[in-house]
Amino acid sequence: MDTSYIYHHLKTKRMFWALCGFSLIAYCALVFFLLRAIFFEPEVSETLSVDTSTVFQKMDGKGLLVNITGSGFDEKVEAYLAYDAGNHGAIVATLPTWGYLRQVVVRGDTAYLANGHRGFLVVDTRNLHQPLIVGSVDTPGPAWAIAIAGSYAYVADGTAGLQVISIDDLHQPRIVATLPIEGDAIDVLVTGDRVVVATRKHGVKIVSVEHPQRPRLVAEIAVEGGGVKRLALDGGKLFVVKGKQGVWEYAFDDTEGYPLVRKLETSGSAQSIEVSEKEILVCCGKNGLDIFPLAGTESKPSFSIDTPGSARAAVVVGGSVYIADNFNGLQVLKRHPGFSWQDAGTVDTPGNAWDVVVDGGYAFVADGKKGLQIVSLDKINPSKGLQRIITPGYVETLAVQENKIYVADGPHGLHVVSCNSNGDFRIVDSFKTPGYAYDVAIKDDRIYVADGAKGLQVLTVKRGGVLQLVDTVKLDGVARAVTVIDRLAVVAAGKTGLYIVDIENIAGPRVIGYLGELGYLRDVAVVGEHAFVAAGKAGLLQVSIKEPTRPRVVGTVTLPLPLQVFAQSLAVTVHGDKMMVANATAGCQIFDVSVPEKPRFLTSIASMDYVKGVSAFEGTGYLYDYKNGVQAVDLKTLQQLRSVASSKLTGLAVVDGKALLGHGNGGVSIVPLPIELSEVDLRSSQELSVFIPNPAMRGRYSLWLTKGEHSMIVPQPLTFDQAGLGAAIE
């Protein structure tokens, strides 16, 4: 008898009843959760919000009492005071543009924006605290620059040429003409019935707009080398910005064929130009600002100013110069008697400042991906009390040993910074390494520098505090990071791999182990017999160095599944039994490494913006990203996330209650760490008061309220004029 039919029948029947059982369980679970949601609604904690803040100064001048009204106040609310080195309180409005904003033009109560691939935008600025996009045109190319004349806007639209846009109706701007331009159109000016267009490869084009809806090319200026970045007109003079070739001045006279008058030799790659009554100001990127006399034939700058960022655009208003300093935000300089200039303040915008316009007491900053920033000039304060150490190179990393700070300064090697008895920090010695100093680690009396293509440099401090080179360890690839433990130095060398160096060898340091084909290695930290290597998109690699001569990958540190899509391991640091990892748009993750073989995920902190660096000192972890600057977290409780500074950083160290912040081209600034405020008086769920003792360092501060993971800044900034004495209430 064939029993296969009976067997298959019984198997199908069992599967049927199993599916029925699973469905019944799922149905019961769904009913349970629905009933719980209906009858047992969980208590939702009200989020923090602030309506008003009133500041009272104590009669004895020893602090302030801030009374705050709002909602969401309870016994869990805490407060702290953070130094506002970046004049964050001066930004009165931020307008997202969802593109890459490169230029802004203001006419009356309207701003016109060149917004890259998002085209041309019209913004109503009648309420400067709440600007509103009222019109837009999605131009066919990337909008680089705009010029306004009458009821028309002229847009340099990259490969799409010149766009003529009617702005008769601000709510419905429309393209009325397109003129193809040979080469990428990247800047535009208008004078009378002529439009001047700069192209990336084919010089300068002169366009007649006598009839705006029928533009026509009437002349060309064949600039040698072709490439042009920006333009400026002053009467009969046309200035053409040529990058590394400086600025070329032409006579703007079509009857004479636009003859070349002179070439201005800039200190760096010229990016843009501003012409004032008597001077020409040229923004030279990382080389700052060059100033030339407008009259005469002088080709050399009469004065140069090194800005902390990368100068992209400048505007002169009265006796002040406002500079869009790229990643370092808005810089303000004031002229003093003679020909001297003084730093009058910095506004650290959240993005990269590309352009700036000043109108009616406000600066309008084209801030790249972060849109339009509107800054009140009255609220920009000089950085009173803020110390800044200017370095000649590009600050990559800072390390601390016995109250000395070691600065890896890129092409200019290593600097030693010390604090004197007056609390002033200064460079006490420098050593120019042969390569590019990316990282520094210290053990006993030896200093180890990851020196790019020149390998690992070993230095020591001789009598009198003088740095001296002891040894060089040659490595293939680019040494980007180094960490030292016991007798080993572990070096992450980019795409070449990981090197293990014996630093106590009698004959001198030498490579004893190597591991390649791991991805692009950016950073490394060591716990016991395990090295954790930040390898970019390859993740955080776990490498056993139990046998230093034969290191091997034993795994990849696992992240929660939702974060794996965004993660890109950029930096790692270990402090005690905690490990912090900077994972780009996936934020910052903290692991327990008390058992190094099995790192355990604890929590993820920071925003989904772009966390690029981590450091840890004295029980506190620090993470820095492009959105929030640098923040601190208690590594014991994994709570109390505090804002330290809004600046964009490349490195960080902590000494004696102060944070030393590396700013790339901008050197190192010193700011106080956040001050925990213990006297918080809860009066009701809608009112509380905070007592603030006078901080040791004068300057502008921001009051922050926190509740669990939520934090917010109290809008009214506080300026302490003298250390330990009184305060100016803004």
Side-chain angles (χ1 to χ4, degrees):
M1 179 181 176
D2 185 4
T3 60
S4 62
Y5 167 77
I6 298 173
Y7 171 77
H8 288 298
H9 175 73
L10 292 173
K11 184 178 179 181
T12 303
K13 194 172 183 180
R14 285 195 298 269
M15 291 177 64
F16 171 78
W17 285 113
L19 289 172
C20 287
F22 177 78
S23 300
L24 180 62
I25 293 171
Y27 177 77
C28 291
L30 178 62
V31 171
F32 170 76
F33 284 113
L34 286 173
L35 290 174
R36 191 177 73 166
I38 294 171
F39 296 105
F40 303 97
E41 184 176 351
E43 183 179 350
V44 178
S45 177
E46 188 176 5
T47 58
L48 286 173
S49 69
V50 172
D51 296 329
T52 65
S53 61
T54 308
V55 183
F56 303 94
Q57 190 163 13
K58 290 195 67 177
M59 295 296 292
D60 58 6
K62 294 182 178 179
L64 302 174
L65 184 68
V66 183
N67 192 71
I68 303 168
T69 63
S71 59
F73 302 155
D74 58 28
E75 64 280 354
K76 297 179 182 178
V77 174
E78 297 178 337
Y80 69 94
L81 194 67
Y83 192 82
D84 183 15
N87 275 305
H88 231 91
I91 300 175
V92 298
T94 296
L95 179 69
T97 60
W98 300 282
Y100 202 100
L101 185 58
R102 289 186 179 274
Q103 192 181 47
V104 55
V105 174
V106 177
R107 294 289 184 272
D109 293 328
T110 306
Y112 303 91
L113 311 182
N115 198 36
H117 288 284
R118 293 282 181 157
F120 170 77
L121 300 180
V122 181
V123 178
D124 183 343
T125 60
R126 283 176 293 183
N127 183 349
L128 288 167
H129 293 263
Q130 292 183 325
L132 180 66
I133 297 173
V134 295
S136 65
V137 175
D138 186 8
T139 57
W144 280 85
I146 48 180
I148 306 295
S151 57
Y152 293 94
Y154 301 91
V155 180
D157 204 34
T159 54
L162 176 69
Q163 307 296 327
V164 183
I165 298 176
S166 171
I167 52 174
D168 271 335
D169 183 350
L170 295 178
H171 293 81
Q172 293 184 326
R174 68 190 192 283
I175 296 174
V176 296
T178 297
L179 181 67
I181 297 288
E182 185 182 15
D184 289 355
I186 60 172
D187 198 16
V188 59
L189 297 173
V190 60
T191 174
D193 62 357
R194 293 290 188 267
V195 168
V196 188
V197 182
T199 70
R200 196 188 300 274
K201 298 179 181 178
H202 295 279
V204 178
K205 313 295 184 183
I206 313 297
V207 178
S208 171
V209 290
E210 184 177 359
H211 303 288
Q213 298 189 26
R214 298 193 302 275
R216 60 188 179 88
L217 185 66
V218 295
E220 299 184 30
I221 302 176
V223 179
E224 182 184 342
V228 177
K229 287 181 174 289
R230 296 291 288 270
L231 300 169
L233 268 171
D234 182 69
K237 299 177 180 180
L238 173 66
F239 298 92
V240 178
V241 178
K242 297 261 308 148
K244 292 181 180 179
Q245 294 176 284
V247 176
W248 294 5
E249 179 186 331
Y250 292 84
F252 193 68
D253 187 345
D254 55 357
T255 62
E256 297 184 10
Y258 307 103
L260 179 64
V261 176
R262 63 170 166 168
K263 296 181 179 181
L264 304 181
E265 300 174 17
T266 54
S267 60
S269 179
Q271 303 296 314
S272 69
I273 184 171
E274 165 78 357
V275 182
S276 67
E277 185 178 346
K278 296 181 179 180
E279 295 164 337
I280 304 166
L281 292 85
V282 182
C283 292
C284 299
K286 65 180 182 180
N287 289 86
L289 191 71
D290 284 351
I291 301 175
F292 299 82
L294 179 58
T297 59
E298 181 59 50
S299 63
K300 302 284 187 181
S302 53
F303 197 76
S304 294
I305 303 167
D306 187 15
T307 62
S310 181
R312 294 290 179 179
V315 61
V316 179
V317 178
S320 299
V321 179
Y322 300 86
I323 303 169
D325 207 27
N326 204 245
F327 58 84
N328 233 68
L330 177 68
Q331 303 295 319
V332 185
L333 303 175
K334 284 190 179 294
R335 186 193 297 276
H336 281 254
F339 205 73
S340 63
W341 295 82
Q342 182 177 350
D343 179 12
T346 296
V347 180
D348 187 25
T349 59
N352 292 330
W354 281 89
D355 190 29
V356 58
V357 172
V358 173
D359 184 78
Y362 292 85
F364 298 78
V365 181
D367 206 30
K369 291 182 180 180
K370 298 302 181 180
L372 178 67
Q373 310 297 327
I374 301 180
V375 179
S376 171
L377 302 185
D378 291 338
K379 293 186 177 182
I380 300 176
N381 285 351
S383 301
K384 301 175 182 177
L386 178 67
Q387 296 183 59
R388 186 179 289 272
I389 302 167
I390 301 300
T391 65
Y394 188 95
V395 176
E396 293 281 358
T397 311
L398 297 94
V400 177
Q401 186 189 53
E402 297 178 354
N403 291 331
K404 280 190 169 55
I405 302 95
Y406 296 84
V407 182
D409 199 32
H412 284 266
L414 185 72
H415 307 299
V416 183
V417 174
S418 182
C419 183
N420 63 23
S421 58
N422 296 324
D424 297 325
F425 290 84
R426 62 187 182 90
I427 295 175
V428 294
D429 195 23
S430 298
F431 184 90
K432 192 177 187 309
T433 57
Y436 185 101
Y438 278 105
D439 194 17
V440 56
I442 306 153
K443 184 176 186 292
D444 301 328
D445 63 343
R446 291 290 189 267
I447 304 158
Y448 301 86
V449 180
D451 203 31
K454 296 299 182 180
L456 181 69
Q457 309 295 333
V458 185
L459 295 89
T460 189
V461 179
K462 290 294 186 181
R463 184 175 298 178
V466 177
L467 289 169
Q468 181 176 336
L469 182 66
V470 176
D471 278 296
T472 295
V473 182
K474 294 183 179 180
L475 308 171
D476 292 331
V478 177
R480 289 193 59 103
V482 58
T483 189
V484 178
I485 184 169
D486 297 331
R487 60 178 297 149
L488 300 177
V490 184
V491 183
K495 63 182 180 181
T496 303
L498 189 73
Y499 289 92
I500 313 298
V501 179
D502 183 350
I503 58 176
E504 294 186 2
N505 186 277
I506 296 176
R510 66 184 182 92
V511 175
I512 59 172
Y514 168 75
L515 192 60
E517 298 182 2
L518 301 176
Y520 194 91
L521 309 189
R522 298 174 180 273
D523 200 7
V524 59
V526 176
V527 186
E529 297 174 341
H530 289 263
F532 295 92
V533 185
K537 293 182 179 179
L540 184 67
L541 306 180
Q542 188 174 356
V543 178
S544 172
I545 55 173
K546 183 176 183 179
E547 297 181 59
T549 57
R550 292 189 295 176
R552 60 188 180 89
V553 177
V554 295
T556 301
V557 178
T558 305
L559 288 173
L561 186 60
L563 297 175
Q564 292 178 15
V565 178
F566 307 99
Q568 183 179 349
S569 185
L570 302 179
V572 58
T573 191
V574 172
H575 189 73
D577 60 356
K578 300 296 193 303
M579 177 171 68
M580 299 178 68
V581 185
N583 259 316
T585 52
C588 172
Q589 284 69 47
I590 300 180
F591 294 83
D592 182 335
V593 288
S594 54
V595 182
E597 297 82 1
K598 297 180 179 180
R600 181 169 59 90
F601 174 77
L602 296 175
T603 189
S604 182
I605 55 177
S607 67
M608 298 292 285
D609 200 71
Y610 197 93
V611 179
K612 61 176 181 175
V614 286
S615 299
F617 300 90
E618 300 174 355
T620 302
Y622 300 88
L623 54 117
Y624 28 106
D625 66 24
Y626 285 131
K627 181 177 181 180
N628 302 304
V630 58
Q631 299 182 84
V633 61
D634 188 323
L635 290 178
K636 292 181 180 178
T637 64
L638 303 183
Q639 294 178 358
Q640 293 184 323
L641 193 63
R642 302 290 189 251
S643 175
V644 177
S646 60
S647 307
K648 303 169 190 69
L649 303 188
T650 54
L652 178 144
V654 173
V655 176
D656 293 335
K658 295 183 176 66
L660 285 84
L661 312 178
H663 301 286
N665 292 325
V668 179
S669 64
I670 298 96
V671 301
L673 293 174
I675 303 169
E676 298 293 330
L677 303 173
S678 58
E679 297 186 45
V680 179
D681 182 14
L682 179 66
R683 298 179 180 177
S684 72
S685 63
Q686 297 179 328
E687 184 179 4
L688 59 77
S689 62
V690 181
F691 173 69
I692 305 174
N694 293 328
M697 184 172 171
R698 63 178 181 166
R700 172 184 272 175
Y701 287 79
S702 297
L703 175 61
W704 288 77
L705 300 180
T706 67
K707 181 181 176 182
E709 296 182 354
H710 182 61
S711 63
M712 69 169 301
I713 189 170
V714 177
Q716 186 173 15
L718 306 168
T719 300
F720 291 82
D721 286 332
Q722 299 181 45
L725 295 174
I729 303 167
E730 300 187 23

